[in-house]
């Protein structure tokens, strides 16, 4: 027995729940929607950080925000003022709870936990058919947020691998008004590494070790780097580890996210999320891009019944990000210096707008002028002549 829906969202993580929240806000006009999630329950598995003013989606749900942050390499440190668009930290537990509240308050939406697909969706006579561990369902449209298997992503330019832990010290240890965005690990030819410290109080902070590299760094490999950073930070003072998080973000997807002629699927099926264009290639930031997509997708579903995928980045962003990632891939030893140049030479408001996809032409120019032209022209030539 099948239940017919207007829309099925496969995967109710950040992208699925963000779209679900937008649809729930349509009240009686919400399409009949099923969200299928393989997890049995949510836990506080990640934190999302982003720059934004009070109007930015989920800004007011963020537990902590910083009006300044530092970037550091050895003895050189730059303090950046971001008071107009504070750096905000949103806890996954708070996001999940608010999204589930919104979704369950609208009878048109159903969240089915513990449901995995037993076969790929089939399409016949204008309808999608899904067989899952929770039963069979059909729908007019599908939004698929499942991440692609890593084996299908071998042409990713760089991987951002990170391991973090939330530490609670017995005595005051941090300045909770200032975040440390990047403190670079020694320059080397294998990866760009840095630690970031996000203090939520004088005694508690999220400490994360991050690596940008052509290959994936597994949890176990990152652990030794993180541990030595924590030892440095603790200086033998007692602390407790409250929570850990590991993450992997593709930076620069090899295959085009928007193939010119994608005839493989009808337009009623879109792939979205982290491995389908949600992440900004040069930074890995995805949360606010997912919010902008969710808003556009809900609007499209309301007006046409057809979902949309992530919009393509502008030509300028695509080229700049590809060149930057290509430089880091071939010269990771230059990474710390390049980031230091960006943060110390570019006006902070311009840089934050550029990093948050809100840059103007003059912001792009400021970023280009801060970087070594010879190296970047060579990289541009390398990409242009790549077969
Ligand atoms: C630890 C961590 C920290 C991050 N921090 C930031 C940050 O600070 N700022 C930022 O901008 N971005 C950040 N990101 C990147 C990005 O915002 C997140 O990865 C975000 O969760 C991506 O959303 P998504 O919906 O694509 O994937 P997910 O949130 O992972 O959702 C995918 C969902 O699909 C479900 N699923 C998988 N397979 C199936 C199946 N077969 N059937 C049904 N359901 C399935 C999964 O259980 C999951 O719930 C972070 C990522 C991680 C991993």
């Amino acid at each position: 027995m099948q239940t017919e829906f207007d829309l099925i969202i496969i995967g109710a993580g950040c992208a699925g729940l963000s779209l679900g929240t937008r649809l729930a806000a349509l009240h009686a006009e919400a399409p009949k929607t099923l969200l299928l999630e393989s997890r049995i329950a949510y836990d506080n598995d990640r934190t999302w950080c982003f720059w934004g003013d009070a109007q930015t989606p989920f800004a007011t749900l963020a537990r902590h925000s910083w009006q300044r942050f530092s970037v550091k390499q050895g003895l050189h440190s730059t303090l950046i003022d971001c008071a107009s668009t504070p750096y905000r930290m949103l806890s996954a537990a708070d996001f999940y709870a608010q999204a589930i509240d919104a979704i369950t308050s609208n009878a048109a939406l159903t969240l089915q936990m513990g449901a995995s697909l037993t076969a790929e969706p089939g399409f016949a006579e204008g309808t999608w058919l899904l067989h899952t561990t929770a039963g069979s369902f059909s729908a007019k449209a599908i939004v698929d947020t499942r991440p692609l298997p890593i084996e299908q992503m071998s042409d990713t330019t760089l991987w951002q691998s990170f391991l973090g832990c939330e530490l609670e010290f017995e005595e005051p240890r941090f300045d909770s008004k200032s975040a440390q965005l990047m403190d670079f690990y020694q320059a080397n030819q294998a990866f760009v590494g840095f630690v970031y410290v996000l203090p939520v109080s004088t005694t508690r902070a999220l400490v994360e070790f991050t690596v940008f590299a052509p290959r994936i760094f597994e949890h176990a490999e990152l652990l030794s780097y993180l541990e030595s950073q924590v030892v440095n930070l603790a200086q033998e003072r007692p602390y407790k580890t409250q929570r850990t998080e590991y993450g992997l973000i593709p930076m620069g997807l090899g295959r085009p996210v928007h193939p010119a002629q994608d005839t493989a699927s009808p337009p009623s099926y879109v792939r979205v999320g982290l491995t389908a264009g949600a992440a900004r290639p040069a930074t890995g930031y995805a949360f606010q891009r997912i919010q902008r997509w969710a808003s556009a997708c809900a609007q499209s579903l309301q007006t046409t019944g057809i979902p949309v995928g992530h919009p393509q980045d502008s030509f300028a962003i695509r080229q700049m990000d590809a060149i930057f990632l290509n430089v880091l891939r071939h010269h990771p030893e230059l990474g710390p210096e390049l980031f230091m140049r960006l943060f110390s030479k570019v006006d902070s408001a311009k840089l934050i707008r550029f990093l948050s996809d809100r840059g103007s032409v003059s912001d792009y120019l400021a970023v280009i002028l801060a970087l070594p032209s010879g190296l970047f022209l060579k990289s541009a030539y390398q990409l242009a002549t790549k077969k």
Side-chain angles (χ1 to χ4, degrees):
M1 166 79 178
Q2 293 165 22
T3 316
E4 164 112 20
F5 290 89
D6 295 317
L7 172 71
I8 293 179
I9 302 173
I10 309 174
C14 181
L17 291 176
S18 299
L19 178 58
T21 302
R22 293 282 177 171
L23 294 176
L26 297 176
H27 305 290
E29 286 185 37
K32 192 176 174 204
T33 303
L34 173 66
L35 293 100
L36 292 171
E37 169 55 43
S38 57
R39 283 184 265 190
I40 292 162
Y42 291 97
D43 60 7
N44 195 17
D45 59 352
R46 63 198 62 185
T47 44
W48 283 291
C49 292
F50 51 86
W51 285 281
D53 60 20
Q55 275 67 52
T56 306
F58 292 98
T60 50
L61 195 63
R63 279 195 197 177
H64 202 87
S65 63
W66 298 270
Q67 306 211 338
R68 57 177 192 264
F69 62 89
S70 65
V71 179
K72 193 168 166 241
Q73 183 192 16
L75 297 174
H76 302 284
S77 178
T78 304
L79 191 63
I80 291 134
D81 181 319
C82 59
S84 57
T85 49
Y87 195 59
R88 299 175 188 266
M89 187 169 91
L90 174 64
S91 190
D94 295 341
F95 170 82
Y96 295 144
Q98 180 164 306
I100 292 165
D101 256 13
I103 288 165
T104 51
S105 71
N106 188 325
L109 281 84
T110 308
L111 171 60
Q112 176 69 58
M113 300 297 290
S116 289
L117 267 62
T118 51
E120 283 305 300
F123 187 66
E125 295 168 12
T127 301
W128 291 96
L129 182 59
L130 269 79
H131 298 293
T132 80
T133 51
S136 295
F137 308 98
S138 63
K140 298 186 191 94
I142 293 203
V143 170
D144 190 347
T145 78
R146 287 173 298 168
L148 283 182
I150 303 268
E151 314 79 77
Q152 288 179 30
M153 303 188 68
S154 54
D155 45 6
T156 297
T157 312
L158 288 178
W159 286 97
Q160 182 176 149
S161 317
F162 50 98
L163 181 64
C165 53
E166 223 170 292
L167 305 179
E168 176 81 58
F169 282 81
E170 285 176 11
E171 288 164 12
R173 187 79 196 88
F174 305 107
D175 169 8
S176 63
K177 294 201 164 66
S178 183
Q180 179 191 281
L181 195 70
M182 294 172 133
D183 180 359
F184 287 99
Y185 186 75
Q186 65 204 52
N188 66 84
Q189 302 203 328
F191 61 82
V192 183
F194 58 90
V195 64
Y196 75 79
V197 181
L198 303 180
V200 294
S201 72
T202 54
T203 53
R204 194 178 178 111
L206 174 66
V207 180
E208 222 153 86
F209 189 78
T210 302
V211 160
F212 296 170
R215 69 172 178 88
I216 289 167
F217 278 60
E218 302 290 350
H219 185 290
E221 197 174 358
L222 288 177
L223 188 59
S224 57
Y225 290 104
L226 179 64
E227 280 175 348
S228 67
Q229 299 292 336
V230 170
V231 166
N232 263 345
L233 188 82
Q235 302 283 322
E236 299 188 350
R237 290 180 183 84
Y239 68 87
K240 283 203 179 95
T241 302
Q242 304 289 4
R243 190 180 73 81
T244 60
E245 63 176 48
Y246 170 75
L248 202 53
I249 299 178
M251 300 173 79
L253 301 172
R255 84 216 121 71
V257 177
H258 302 271
Q261 287 175 310
D262 184 0
T263 48
S265 309
S268 53
Y269 180 108
V270 292
R271 264 194 184 275
V272 297
L274 194 63
T275 59
R280 171 78 182 272
T283 62
Y285 283 114
F287 185 79
Q288 286 302 336
R289 288 164 65 100
I290 288 174
Q291 301 318 315
R292 289 195 287 275
W293 157 78
S295 164
C297 190
Q299 201 176 6
S300 174
L301 283 161
Q302 187 186 16
T303 51
T304 67
I306 301 284
V308 292
H310 295 286
Q312 194 168 36
D313 286 317
S314 70
F315 179 77
I317 287 277
R318 277 182 284 142
Q319 298 309 310
M320 286 172 72
D321 281 11
I323 294 168
F324 189 67
L325 290 178
N326 192 47
V327 168
L328 291 186
R329 184 182 166 93
H330 294 287
H331 297 285
E333 72 285 0
L334 300 179
E337 187 199 322
L338 294 174
F339 279 105
M340 287 305 289
R341 270 178 182 248
L342 279 179
F343 283 104
S344 55
K345 290 193 171 184
V346 183
D347 168 74
S348 58
K350 284 178 184 284
L351 187 59
I352 290 168
R353 281 198 298 269
F354 174 76
L355 295 175
S356 316
D357 303 336
R358 292 178 289 111
S360 63
V361 175
S362 92
D363 299 338
Y364 293 0
L365 275 177
V367 169
I368 292 169
L369 290 174
L371 295 167
S373 53
L375 183 66
F376 280 75
L377 283 173
K378 199 171 142 200
S379 171
Y381 178 76
Q382 217 174 39
L383 284 177
T385 53
K386 200 165 110 180
K387 290 255 154 66

